[in-house]
Each structure stands twice: as structure tokens, then as C-alpha cells.
Amino acid sequence: MADLTTEFLGIKSPNPFWLASAPPTDKEYNVRRAFEAGWGGVVWKTLGSEGPPVVNVNGPRYGAIYGADRRLLGLNNIELITDRPLQTNLDEITRVKKDYPDRAIIVSIMVPCEEEAWKDILPRVEATGADGIELNFGCPHGMAERGMGSAVGQVPEYITMVTEWCKKYYSKPVIVKLTPNITDIRKPAQAAFKGNADAVSLINTINSITSVDLDLLAPQPTIDGKGTHGGYCGPAVKPIALNMVAEIARDPETHGKPISAIGGITTWRDAAEFMVMGAGNVQVCTAAMTYGFKIVQEMISGLSQWMDEKGYASTSEFIGQGVPNVTDWQYLNLNYITKARIDQDACIKCGRCYAACEDTSHQAISMSADRVFEVQDDECVACNLCVDVCPVENCITMIELQPGEIDKRTQKVVEPEYANWTTHPNNPAAQAAE
Amino acid sequence: MGNSQTTPGIVAGRLPADRIQENFDDLHPAYAPHEAAVAADRCYFCHDAPCMTACPTSIDIPLFIRQIATGTPEAAAKTILDQNILGGMCARVCPTETLCEEVCVREVAEGKPVEIGRLQRYATDTLMDAGKHPFTRAAPTGKSVAVVGAGPAGLSCAHRLAMLGHDVVIYEARPKAGGLNEFGIAAYKAPNGFATAEVDWLMQIGGITLKEGQALGDQITLPGLKDSHDAVFLSIGLSGVNALRAEGEDREGVEDAVSFIAELRQTSDLTTLPVGRNVVVIGGGMTAVDAAVQSKLLGAENVTIAYRRGQEAMPASKYEQDLAAQNGVRLMFNVQPVAVHGNGRAVEIELEYTTDTGSGLTGTGETVRLAADQVFKAIGQTLGDTPEGITLEGRKIAVNDTGRTSLDGVWAGGDCASGGDDLTVTAVAEGRDAAMDIHATLVG
């Protein structure tokens, strides 16, 4: 069985699966249960400054989006940072770290954008023996209105400034958690590393209203007839997070910098995908909140099986290996030509490919009186929509045309050479190859 | 041949070969990958899941189903086999309708459980078809354990002991390992030689020597085994069959259902296996159903199960009863045999109606006669000769929770031991748990 031991910022954990800073890591009781269940580490739920803790709403905090059979696909929350006293959390962190020296414990912090506030809390956090801190620059609700959370994460200069304070008053690794509620994720990442952050973690939740109560005409979750935007997470946000992680991993300014990936990680496969795209480890929240801590067992067995099948002895052998394969659209090979193929033995004749292609795409699928569906190569642009809507795995596949074959749609011979938009004759800015 | 369903007497070839082959095909065909994915998606990954509690081997069912759902059926198989090394057979023969699937929250809520048994088969088949054996042996302990009987309990015990580093010798009375998996269950539940293949797969762990044709009390004795091994596990099953206690029981055509099933299981060409035109099975358990349904599938014209109590008391599950009915078996309740009539050979059976007086069953005096050229006794099995000095509890070997018998260094499990409910899956659990206790004793 493959060795899942992962070292991130010099912090060792028995596997790359950490619980993200969120309700599952709010207190000693939960964290102990998580460690017993097998989680490699936790990021403790965000601590605030000394003084009276924040208060949460007393109505519903979460809203959900469902798929078929009420499978939870997206979760939205309006919970704030920890609402328990600072010292209580610090004492608990100290105790748990002492009992679980082989697991990673990172402390998430969110205090006002004043140097004194950070100078006050950091030595107290350091005294717990925790392995590092994560700066919560991400929460989009409640705290942002008070000048914290995503209000900091949306201003790169603030990120640099606060990160510098943390590096000044804290000796262990500093991870900066980024908000996705921004137009270009590379900027806050660059700002964090400019402030000497050891790593970035992303994504925090996305501004969202999950649904509207059509009787009350109010957003859900509804508190006394009103609602507010919350932070969206769960399987639905994974593609957004994956892109943001890849963007930072391939940005020349931040390439190779440590990333802890967060965002809809639900299975071992999701975790592997993020790690291939440059994440040194992953953080999970919604999946644990949906199914309980036990799901980590599937993540461990699945990742380990995949590594065995691929011959990876340790996680470091595949982390970031897919980053060179992420490129800009303009560099995609325009001479790579495929056509859809329908396997008539596998086809169940539902006609979804036909409806999709005929109504919304390129009229490249024919339908006979006895419901035989066939791809018309002279119309197929290889868009892949039929593959995506087909309910049967591998019934429709994309077949690559070989150099020398004729693309019946364009009547042109397939060229063997790689050629992209930058040199295409239709591109006004095309540069002729030297 | 030219025999048909209406040919009188007990004859072979009542149905064409292709019909018989079709009849004895897999009762529950294997899932295709897409079907498995759809079935797995229905699991809610319940906390402290009722299915897991209901499983005698405590397989982590939600976890293995999630492992299937996330594309790793091999990992799912490992989860199953960690708890139940005969998970492949149990997936086929477990009465899931009275175990895991009965308590599935979707059964309770919707009357449509997650199909746990078929999903388990999908996982274990995937791994076994790939020829993989996911367990390795611990360092040798230098200890040797004798396992008497190569049925589910013995195989389970032997595998666990071998895995823990002990050397194991299995002594099996029959010429072939597998116990009731090989000789005792309906053919359509585990076709294509699965029982044999599973034993071969299990033996890949290494460290297990199988000695066939070694019956306790004949070729081997308990004192002898105790001398030559550090511990002994008895999993000798039930070799005796209860008597019918009806007049004419010795007439030709009156047979033990277990012998009929064993012969059927070992017959490679079922068109050569004789069966009566009118078959009556006495009993109400799974063996009765297995014998009755298979008689029907071989081409018997009329098959009746005669059970002495009411339907509600029938040990065979509702599912098994339905299976019998669907195959055209007639179920008769509240009747007990009083005589088998015929001139040397059975021709008719006489059944008397019964009533439960509260203090036991009594005959009402009213009788009915059914044509019967073959009568199968499926009224329970009994322990054969037991080793000297071993304490019995009721009619079985007395054991504690971890399978210890009254004799030092001797454990027992499976159908021969007290407790349990004579299911394959229970036997596997008992064998495994006894192995753990034997291990703790030998290395402790």
C-alpha cells in the first residue's frame, strides 16, 4: 500500500487529508473524533480577538442545493468565526496537540487589520504548540462588513501587510487563506507571498444565495422573513476552486509555491485532482458535514489504491505533475481533430444526444425511424456535448483523426504538426512562423 | 431418453438440456458497472448503519458501497474481506432480506433497500476475477493449528490463523473442501464452480495444508490432533439427519434433502440426474426450499413443500417462499407426514393436518394423500458422533463467545457449535472470532 504521509511546510501528517477551518473543527470534542476517524490534520475553526466572542444568528445557518435523490451538491452558510472564548479554544488546542503529536493542527485566525491585534494574539497561539496558522482572509459574510475576512482578502496590499505582521510575531508556518470573491485570484496569492507567506490555501466560500422561499419571497436560509448572502461550498464549487489552484500553480510569480487546496473535495479522486494541479495537500469540510468524519477512510483507501495502480510510492511523486498541462486557450492544438462515435451496442436509444445536438449544437447526429442515432462526420465539430449528456458511460466517445485522414466537415487533410491560434491565418495578430 | 415431466417414477432428463442449463443459471445475475454505480448511489452512508449491525460479520457496508461509488471496487472488496473472507459466497447466499437489506433505512422507508448483496458481489467478483488476494501472512509464529472441517467456519478460521502467521492443517472428511458452500446450497445461487474457485482463492494466503478424506473418529482423532498441534478448531458441521418418524419411511424414494442437493451440486451434467414426477419435501427451512425448487427446475411435474406449522412460523424467509412459489412449488402448511405408502417404493405420502394447541402441535386426525414417488426429508440435521469428553449444549457442542469448548485447547464453530443460526455468514464470523482467540491464546 502506498505511503500517504505528506509533508507540507515541514509539517508531517499521516495523510494529505486535513479538515478545513469550519464547524467540524470548532472544538476539542470534534477534533478528537476527527483524529480517531483518521484525518491527517485540522485547521482549527477561526479564532477572533480576546474579548466577548462574536454571536451567531439563532435561526438557520445553512442552505442547500440538491441533485437527484436529494444528494447534497452545494451548501451555503452564514455562520461566523468561533463564538467561544479565545482562551477556551487555546486551552483545547494545546491539549489536543499534546495528545496527537503526529497530526497537523493549524490555527485559523481573524482579527482586525491592526498590528496590535495580531501582535496580541500570535504569541498566545504560538504557546499552544500548534504547527502553524492560517489567516482567514476569506469569509464573505458577517465579518467582512466589520473589515475582516474577505474584506482583507480583496485588497492585495492588506494581505501583504498582515502577512508581514504575522511573519514578524510568529515563528512557525503562515498560510494565507484566499477568498474566491475576486476577479483574478493570482493577485492576492502574489500579495501573500510578497508578505512572505509560507503557503496559500483556497478557496474560501463563494458569495451566494442558494434559493428563495416563494411564499415569503425571501432568500433562504430565512431569518424572520429576511435572508442574506452566505458562503457557498460543497461539490458544486470544486471546478471553480480547481481552476483557481491551477492558476496560482502555473503563474510564473507563484509557480512552485505551496498550496493547500480547498473547495468541494468529496472523494479521493477530487483530492488527487487538486494535488496533480499543484496542491501539496487538501482540506475538506462539506463532505465531512454531509457524511461524517468516516469518509476519510474512503479517501485514504482510494488515493492509496490509485497510487499503487500508477506506481507512485509517495504523494510528492504526483503533486503538481499536471501543472505543465494547463495552458491558455491560444496554445491548444488546432490540428487535433476528433469526431464523436456512438457505440450502437451500448446505446439505449434515449435520444438525448440527438436533442442536444439538433436543438442546441451542430445538427451532427442523425436519427432513423427505428431510433438509431449516428454521428454525421461532415457536421460534427467534436464539441463533446453528446458525450456529456449521454446517460451511459463510454457509449459515446471522441475518436482522434490521424494525420493524413480527411476531416469530412472541412474537407481538409489532417496535418501532423501542432498549430495553434497564434499562427492561424484567421488571427489578425498572427505571427508567421519564422 | 425421451423422458418428460409426466414420465412416471424417478427418472433423469425430464427437460431438454438447454432448459435445464437456463434453469440453473445465476439467480441474481452480476451487476454491470453502470448498474453497480446506480445501485451504490442509493446508499445514504448512514451513521452507525443498521445494515452493518445486522451483518453477523459486521462488514462496514456504507464504506464499501462508497468505495464502489468512488470507482474503487477493489478497495470495497478489501473492506468486505477484512471482516468476512467468504464475502464472495455470502454475497450470493446470505438471506439479505432478513439481514442487512431488511434493516436498510431505504427498505424501512420505501420498501426498496439498497441492494447490498449484489453490490457486495460486484466488489468481491471484481477483485477475485483479477486474481488478486489482498492479504499477506505475518511473520511465522511456529505454532500449528488443526482445523477439522473445510466448511465456511473452518475456512474462515484457517485463513485468519494463516494470516496471523500460524501454520494450519485442515482435515476434511469429504474428498473436496467447501462444506455446505460446495455440497449444501442451491446450485443457482453459486453457479460456475464458484465455491471451488473461492476456496482456491482463499488458499492463496499460504500456510494452509488441506487434507481431504480425513474424518474425525476414523482417520483422525481429537487426542491425536491435540498431540500434533498447538490448538484444534472443530467445524464438523451436522452430519446426521432427523428421522421422519412416519410409517414407511424406509421405502425407496424417501431421501435426505441434503444428500440430494449434494449429489446435484457434484453432478456436472444435470440431464443425468434423476428426479421424481411427484416430489414432496418435508420441512420448512432453506434446505426444503433449495430441494423443492431444484426438483422443479430439473423437471418434476408436481413439487410440494409440506410444513407442519403455519406460514408465519416457516423458517425460510418470505423471499425464499416467494422464490418457491414463482417456480411453481406448492406450499402446504399445518401438515405432518404420517405414512409413506407404496409397495417397496414410495407412491403416495399421507399427511395429517395439525393444530397448535398452545402446548405443542397435535394431529387433527384429518389426513390427505398426495402422489409422491420421491420424498425429501428436510427437517433438520443433527450433530454426528462427537469426540469423547466434550460437553454438549442441547444437541450441539457447547462453546463460549469466542468458540472455546469444554476441552482445553479445543475451539468449535459453525453449525456444530451452540449459538448461531446455521447461516454461512454466522459460521464465517464464528471461525474468524475463534481464530482471534486461538491467536491470543497461542502468542499471549
Side-chain angles (χ1 to χ4, degrees):
Chain A
M1 194 166 133
D3 180 13
L4 296 190
T5 306
T6 304
E7 195 163 327
F8 186 72
L9 310 179
I11 306 162
K12 260 195 175 175
S13 54
N15 60 57
F17 306 112
W18 291 5
L19 282 168
S21 170
T25 61
D26 186 32
K27 51 187 181 301
E28 181 175 358
Y29 180 82
N30 305 62
V31 173
R32 283 183 187 274
R33 280 176 69 86
F35 285 160
E36 290 306 313
W39 291 89
V42 303
V43 183
W44 203 277
K45 179 150 168 114
T46 308
L47 309 184
S49 297
E50 184 65 72
V54 301
V55 295
N56 272 300
V57 294
N58 297 299
R61 298 175 194 186
Y62 304 112
I65 294 289
Y66 296 109
D69 203 9
R70 210 173 150 88
R71 177 166 296 253
L72 192 138
L73 298 180
L75 190 71
N76 150 303
N77 86 88
I78 55 168
E79 182 169 299
L80 303 184
I81 64 173
T82 185
D83 53 11
R84 307 185 314 137
L86 176 61
Q87 193 58 48
T88 304
N89 278 304
L90 295 172
D91 290 346
E92 291 184 0
I93 292 166
T94 309
R95 278 201 296 271
V96 177
K97 182 62 207 178
K98 194 161 156 283
D99 288 352
Y100 293 91
D102 66 322
R103 311 298 173 94
I105 297 187
I106 305 295
V107 179
S108 174
I109 307 174
M110 183 197 288
V111 295
C113 256
E114 297 152 7
E115 189 167 354
E116 277 306 303
W118 292 91
K119 192 181 167 186
D120 284 347
I121 196 169
L122 289 169
R124 297 176 68 181
V125 170
E126 182 129 20
T128 63
D131 301 291
I133 57 172
E134 185 181 81
L135 314 186
N136 183 342
F137 295 159
C139 279
H141 51 267
M143 306 308 288
E145 294 92 319
R146 304 172 206 185
M148 292 181 269
S150 64
V152 179
Q154 286 165 343
V155 184
E157 292 78 9
Y158 290 171
I159 294 176
T160 306
M161 179 179 74
V162 178
T163 308
E164 282 172 345
W165 293 338
C166 291
K167 289 303 288 182
K168 190 166 150 193
Y169 299 114
Y170 185 76
S171 70
K172 289 182 176 176
V174 175
I175 304 168
V176 175
K177 186 167 179 177
L178 305 178
T179 176
N181 298 306
I182 191 162
T183 42
D184 185 349
I185 197 66
R186 293 173 300 179
K187 301 299 172 192
Q190 291 163 4
F193 290 116
K194 193 177 163 199
N196 290 318
D198 296 283
V200 291
S201 58
L202 69 159
I203 60 174
N204 204 309
T205 55
I206 303 172
N207 280 332
S208 62
I209 291 175
T210 42
S211 54
V212 171
D213 184 317
L214 289 180
D215 296 320
L216 297 173
L217 306 184
Q220 290 174 312
T222 311
I223 309 283
D224 192 23
K226 305 282 183 196
T228 185
H229 72 268
Y232 196 43
C233 54
V237 311
K238 178 197 135 188
I240 297 165
L242 203 47
N243 173 55
M244 289 185 167
V245 166
E247 283 299 288
I248 295 170
R250 76 188 186 99
D251 178 14
E253 277 201 45
T254 51
H255 177 68
K257 297 283 192 187
I259 303 171
S260 183
I262 313 165
I265 293 158
T266 310
T267 68
W268 70 268
R269 180 180 288 275
D270 298 328
E273 290 177 12
F274 274 100
M275 292 169 79
V276 165
M277 281 296 126
N281 71 4
V282 296
Q283 297 183 29
V284 176
C285 172
T286 310
M289 291 183 74
T290 311
Y291 303 107
F293 288 149
K294 195 173 123 177
I295 51 155
V296 73
Q297 293 179 33
E298 167 264 303
M299 295 181 178
I300 290 169
S301 69
L303 186 66
S304 155
Q305 181 176 327
W306 174 73
M307 286 171 62
D308 286 344
E309 284 168 6
K310 296 288 177 187
Y312 297 123
S314 79
T315 54
S316 60
E317 291 179 19
F318 64 88
I319 287 170
Q321 291 303 302
V323 177
N325 297 329
V326 187
T327 186
D328 294 334
W329 190 96
Q330 62 182 343
Y331 300 120
L332 296 175
N333 185 3
L334 293 172
N335 282 341
Y336 175 79
I337 298 168
T338 62
K339 298 286 175 188
R341 275 290 167 279
I342 301 172
D343 177 347
Q344 297 299 336
D345 293 330
C347 176
I348 59 172
K349 305 193 187 303
C350 68
R352 278 171 61 165
C353 59
Y354 179 82
C357 193
E358 193 71 7
D359 287 357
T360 72
S361 294
H362 299 86
Q363 297 75 48
I365 295 178
S366 66
M367 174 179 177
S368 71
D370 56 348
R371 300 186 71 81
V372 173
F373 300 92
E374 284 175 307
V375 175
Q376 305 304 303
D377 283 356
D378 55 345
E379 297 292 347
C380 178
V381 303
C383 74
N384 209 50
L385 182 65
C386 55
V387 174
D388 293 334
V389 302
C390 178
V392 180
E393 294 100 315
N394 300 319
C395 174
I396 311 182
T397 47
M398 302 302 290
I399 306 296
E400 182 183 352
L401 294 190
Q402 295 306 308
E405 286 189 72
I406 292 175
D407 177 352
K408 287 182 183 163
R409 183 174 68 88
T410 58
Q411 294 302 323
K412 286 183 182 160
V413 175
V414 177
E415 302 287 342
E417 296 84 15
Y418 160 86
N420 63 45
W421 173 245
T422 61
T423 55
H424 195 277
N426 289 17
N427 180 358
Q431 304 287 312
E434 294 293 318
Chain B
M1 300 235 294
N3 287 330
S4 74
Q5 290 195 272
T6 52
T7 306
I10 304 175
V11 299
R14 290 183 179 277
L15 293 175
D18 54 343
R19 269 288 300 285
I20 289 187
Q21 192 180 349
E22 194 181 300
N23 283 351
F24 282 87
D25 251 2
D26 237 334
L27 181 60
H28 303 292
Y31 274 143
H34 179 77
E35 291 176 294
V38 172
D41 261 355
R42 294 189 68 239
C43 175
Y44 287 145
F45 201 70
C46 298
H47 177 70
D48 193 12
C51 53
M52 197 173 155
T53 309
C55 174
T57 52
S58 307
I59 292 171
D60 193 338
I61 294 165
L63 178 61
F64 94 67
I65 295 180
R66 187 173 170 89
Q67 288 168 320
I68 292 174
T70 53
T72 53
E74 299 85 355
K78 178 78 171 26
T79 299
I80 294 160
L81 299 163
D82 272 339
Q83 289 295 112
N84 179 337
I85 197 65
L86 298 181
M89 180 59 82
C90 288
R92 292 163 163 81
V93 304
C94 258
T96 53
E97 65 278 4
T98 61
L99 296 170
C100 52
E101 291 179 19
E102 182 181 44
V103 296
C104 171
V105 300
R106 298 200 79 153
E107 166 65 20
V108 177
E110 306 163 30
K112 193 171 185 303
V114 174
E115 291 189 312
I116 298 166
R118 291 182 78 186
L119 283 164
Q120 178 166 322
R121 175 172 170 185
Y122 177 75
T124 50
D125 279 5
T126 302
L127 187 88
M128 290 171 71
D129 289 350
K132 289 182 190 161
H133 188 92
F135 301 99
T136 50
R137 295 188 71 194
T141 60
K143 304 286 184 182
S144 162
V145 182
V147 169
V148 187
L155 290 168
S156 164
C157 183
H159 184 273
R160 182 57 63 106
L161 288 168
M163 198 167 85
L164 294 167
H166 307 289
D167 289 323
V168 182
V169 181
I170 305 182
Y171 299 90
E172 168 57 46
R174 295 197 196 238
K176 201 170 175 187
L180 292 180
N181 287 355
E182 179 62 47
F183 297 95
I185 54 164
Y188 47 78
K189 289 180 181 170
N192 307 317
F194 181 76
T196 309
E198 189 176 44
V199 172
D200 292 345
W201 171 86
L202 178 144
M203 297 291 279
Q204 286 177 29
I205 185 75
I208 305 174
T209 308
L210 179 64
K211 293 189 174 176
E212 293 101 338
Q214 304 287 308
L216 191 64
D218 291 337
Q219 291 81 1
I220 49 169
T221 64
L222 187 56
L225 293 176
K226 287 188 70 177
D227 282 348
S228 51
H229 298 278
D230 298 294
V232 179
F233 179 71
L234 299 175
S235 45
I236 53 179
L238 302 172
S239 56
V241 174
N242 287 324
L244 214 49
R245 285 180 298 194
E247 192 193 321
E249 182 172 355
D250 53 351
R251 288 191 205 286
E252 208 180 310
V254 182
E255 301 168 36
D256 296 336
V258 286
S259 307
F260 168 68
I261 294 169
E263 192 185 352
L264 188 151
R265 286 293 304 275
Q266 301 307 313
T267 302
S268 55
D269 180 2
L270 290 177
T271 59
T272 65
L273 187 70
V275 70
R277 174 183 180 182
N278 298 300
V279 176
V280 176
V281 183
I282 308 297
M286 299 244 267
T287 301
V289 173
D290 283 356
V293 171
Q294 293 188 110
S295 299
K296 193 71 192 163
L297 298 179
L298 283 172
E301 185 189 8
N302 299 302
V303 179
T304 306
I305 290 178
Y307 178 52
R308 64 198 176 117
R309 298 181 188 278
Q311 186 166 16
E312 67 289 345
M314 195 166 178
S317 68
K318 178 74 171 41
Y319 174 83
E320 292 282 334
Q321 294 177 39
D322 288 349
L323 181 71
Q326 279 162 23
N327 280 285
V329 173
R330 178 188 180 197
L331 299 172
M332 279 184 82
F333 299 101
N334 302 308
V335 285
Q336 63 187 13
V338 288
V340 178
H341 299 291
N343 185 12
R345 276 187 36 221
V347 176
E348 276 187 335
I349 187 165
E350 187 173 354
L351 303 168
E352 181 184 19
Y353 283 90
T354 64
T355 182
D356 193 344
T357 58
S359 56
L361 281 185
T362 55
T364 62
E366 182 190 355
T367 61
V368 60
R369 286 187 178 215
L370 300 182
D373 31 40
Q374 199 165 28
V375 175
F376 290 125
K377 297 183 280 183
I379 50 176
Q381 290 146 260
T382 54
L383 193 59
D385 294 336
T386 47
E388 205 171 309
I390 208 157
T391 304
L392 300 186
E393 182 183 326
R395 298 160 75 190
K396 295 194 169 189
I397 297 173
V399 290
N400 74 355
D401 287 353
T402 53
R404 291 185 187 216
T405 68
S406 58
L407 296 177
D408 213 30
V410 181
W411 283 255
D415 290 354
C416 70
S418 63
D421 41 17
D422 295 356
L423 293 174
T424 304
V425 64
T426 315
V428 173
E430 289 168 0
R432 176 199 69 193
D433 294 347
M436 295 310 292
D437 195 43
I438 293 169
H439 173 68
T441 307
L442 295 185
V443 303

